[in-house]
Amino acid sequence: MKALKSLRLHIGLFGRTNVGKSSFLNKITSQAISIVSDIAGTTTDVVEKSMELLPIGPVTFLDTAGLDDVSELGSQRIEKTHKILNRCDIAVLITDKFELTPVENEIINEFKSLNIPYLIIVNKQDDNLSAKSDFMVTSTVTDNKIVDKFKAELIKLLPDEFINSPKIVGNLVDTKSTVILVIPIDKEAPKGRIILPQVQTLRDLLDSNCISIVVKESELQDALDGLKNPPALVVTDSQAFKKVSEIVPDSIPLTSFSILFARLKGNLDEFIKGANTIEKLKDGSKILFLESCTHHAIDDDIARVKIPRLLKQKTGKELVCEYYTGHDFPDVSGYDLIIHCGACMTNRKEVLSRILIATEKHVPITNYGIVISYCLGILPRATKIFS
């Protein structure tokens, strides 16, 4: 099975127009992914290419427009290029000279401010491929070792979490422990399938040699009654939190898939901190819901119906809810709270970048599952297992 995009290493390619970014990508992938031309500004929108880059594993390259694009649409292209940084695990700056230009130094400063590991590649230096030890010097035309060189440099920059993939739930319970997964089959459950966070959690438990029991909330009590010993943990879909919390005794740890992914993809402490600001909301407070993937809202949609209803019940306030879908991050100034989705289709770097931007703007941020458990009064219980 192909690796999910959210689990791939995202590598952004940056540089001035016509320095060879697209030629470099085509060389690495051995495919004509990006259009190559002597005309500056050939790459307009971001070009994505996912592949297996052995021995590193699944990666997604993000080929961006030139940093110095002066065409009619240049400013819009450059804006998209800078936004892509929020999705990058590693950045690659490609240039054709050893003395960097102001726009190249500017993008390097952005790499540093966002804590993105980066590599500088000097292309078209055919006469001296060993010069300047702190740069990777190569030629997309004559260097037959370009792929091996790039892999070697990339391995040096790999984030720890990519080398040692973090556990979703397996590090919270002992080997051979029994864990019950409560998966409602409702309007939001895809026909014939279960949603991605549930699949990934189940696989993580199997990899951790745990005993997994999967039930709907209506069969949860029967599952508990049938066990000789209590389970080590119950994980539920957030939308069934209230009913499940009433069934599961306080002595049994309980959390949700969304909270597990808040820890996996983001910063759990920061999300909890954000949820604790809900009590400060007033009439007219603006809430921004961030959704990573596009989907058709259903009648009882979690972001558009269920969470706003819970927030009103909890606060008694008339709140203004707005929604933003996709990878780009809007201007969050003026919002009183950001509520992020579970981020199952987004890589961790993008979520961490969003948290960083939100904290810099002094806007609290949290996620769906944490908000639901907070509004139901069970957040301390739902997060106790992590402490």
Side-chain angles (χ1 to χ4, degrees), residues 223-274:
L224 290 169
D225 293 342
L227 290 175
K228 182 178 180 181
N229 298 307
L233 175 66
V234 175
V235 183
T236 179
D237 185 280
S238 295
Q239 300 187 67
F241 236 144
K242 187 176 188 301
K243 183 175 181 179
V244 171
S245 67
E246 292 170 349
I247 295 173
V248 178
D250 290 339
S251 58
I252 298 175
L254 170 67
T255 192
S256 74
F257 295 103
S258 186
I259 292 177
L260 289 174
F261 273 72
R263 183 182 74 135
L264 179 73
K265 294 292 186 75
N267 183 310
L268 184 59
D269 290 337
E270 196 65 34
F271 282 158
I272 292 173
K273 180 180 174 183

Side-chain angles (χ1 to χ4, degrees), residues 41-59:
T42 302
T43 300
T44 54
D45 290 329
V46 175
V47 176
E48 296 190 26
K49 169 57 183 175
S50 296
M51 65 175 293
E52 289 286 327
L53 189 63
L54 299 176
I56 294 167
V59 303

Side-chain angles (χ1 to χ4, degrees), residues 81-350:
T81 293
H82 285 264
K83 284 183 176 180
I84 277 295
L85 285 171
N86 293 328
R87 297 172 57 192
C88 293
D89 297 301
I90 290 177
V92 177
L93 175 65
I94 299 177
T95 183
D96 57 0
K97 58 182 69 176
F98 290 117
E99 296 300 324
L100 299 181
T101 66
V103 292
E104 290 169 333
N105 282 314
E106 180 185 340
I107 198 73
I108 288 175
N109 287 334
E110 289 195 57
F111 299 159
K112 293 177 179 178
S113 68
L114 293 171
N115 296 317
I116 302 173
Y118 66 93
L119 168 66
I120 300 174
I121 296 178
V122 179
N123 185 28
K124 301 182 180 176
Q125 299 292 323
D126 303 49
D127 54 339
N128 187 359
L129 298 184
S130 61
K132 199 74 175 179
S133 60
D134 51 342
F135 293 167
M136 173 183 155
V137 187
T138 187
S139 167
T140 56
V141 178
T142 63
D143 190 357
N144 295 324
K145 298 181 179 180
I146 185 172
V147 176
D148 291 336
K149 283 183 179 180
F150 177 64
K151 289 179 181 178
E153 293 297 329
L154 200 59
I155 288 172
K156 297 176 186 177
L157 299 175
L158 288 177
D160 289 340
E161 61 263 27
F162 189 81
I163 299 172
N164 304 304
S165 298
K167 292 284 189 179
I168 298 173
V169 65
N171 57 354
L172 298 174
V173 295
D174 295 330
T175 300
K176 297 189 183 303
S177 294
T178 298
V179 177
I180 296 180
L181 304 180
V182 183
I183 301 178
I185 304 301
D186 54 18
K187 291 180 181 179
E188 295 201 15
K191 187 175 181 180
R193 297 179 290 121
I194 57 178
I195 64 175
L196 186 58
Q198 298 161 356
V199 173
Q200 290 179 255
T201 302
L202 178 58
R203 175 56 191 265
D204 185 73
L205 286 168
L206 293 173
D207 289 340
S208 302
N209 299 317
C210 291
I211 301 166
S212 306
I213 299 176
V214 181
V215 296
K216 295 183 292 185
E217 68 273 30
S218 53
E219 281 69 52
L220 175 58
Q221 187 65 64
D222 292 334
L224 290 169
D225 293 342
L227 290 175
K228 182 178 180 181
N229 298 307
L233 175 66
V234 175
V235 183
T236 179
D237 185 280
S238 295
Q239 300 187 67
F241 236 144
K242 187 176 188 301
K243 183 175 181 179
V244 171
S245 67
E246 292 170 349
I247 295 173
V248 178
D250 290 339
S251 58
I252 298 175
L254 170 67
T255 192
S256 74
F257 295 103
S258 186
I259 292 177
L260 289 174
F261 273 72
R263 183 182 74 135
L264 179 73
K265 294 292 186 75
N267 183 310
L268 184 59
D269 290 337
E270 196 65 34
F271 282 158
I272 292 173
K273 180 180 174 183
N276 286 327
T277 68
I278 289 174
E279 292 290 352
K280 299 178 182 178
L281 296 175
K282 304 174 182 178
D283 285 327
S285 290
K286 293 177 64 178
I287 314 297
L288 176 64
F289 285 80
L290 288 178
E291 300 173 305
S292 296
C293 57
T294 303
H295 66 281
H296 291 292
I298 61 174
D299 293 340
D300 204 24
D301 187 75
I302 185 171
R304 289 164 175 78
V305 178
K306 292 181 178 178
I307 292 180
R309 183 169 58 214
L310 283 171
L311 287 171
K312 185 173 182 179
Q313 292 171 352
K314 181 69 175 178
T315 65
K317 308 298 181 182
E318 294 293 337
L319 307 173
V320 178
C321 297
E322 298 181 1
Y323 301 86
Y324 193 91
T325 301
H327 290 296
D328 290 343
F329 198 62
D331 182 3
V332 298
S333 303
Y335 288 99
D336 298 286
L337 179 65
I338 299 169
I339 304 178
H340 206 292
C341 67
C344 60
M345 299 300 291
T346 304
N347 67 348
R348 186 165 189 258
K349 179 64 183 179
E350 184 171 354

Side-chain angles (χ1 to χ4, degrees), residues 3-68:
L4 297 163
K5 185 182 288 188
S6 61
L7 302 180
R8 292 178 176 271
L9 184 77
H10 284 57
I11 305 168
L13 303 182
F14 301 87
R16 293 177 288 109
T17 53
N18 218 30
V19 295
K21 297 187 303 298
S22 298
S23 297
F24 177 80
L25 177 58
N26 292 346
K27 194 81 171 181
I28 296 298
T29 61
S30 299
Q31 299 177 43
I33 301 301
S34 296
I35 300 172
V36 178
S37 170
D38 291 332
I39 301 173
T42 302
T43 300
T44 54
D45 290 329
V46 175
V47 176
E48 296 190 26
K49 169 57 183 175
S50 296
M51 65 175 293
E52 289 286 327
L53 189 63
L54 299 176
I56 294 167
V59 303
T60 293
F61 285 100
L62 306 168
D63 186 17
T64 65
L67 296 170
D68 56 345

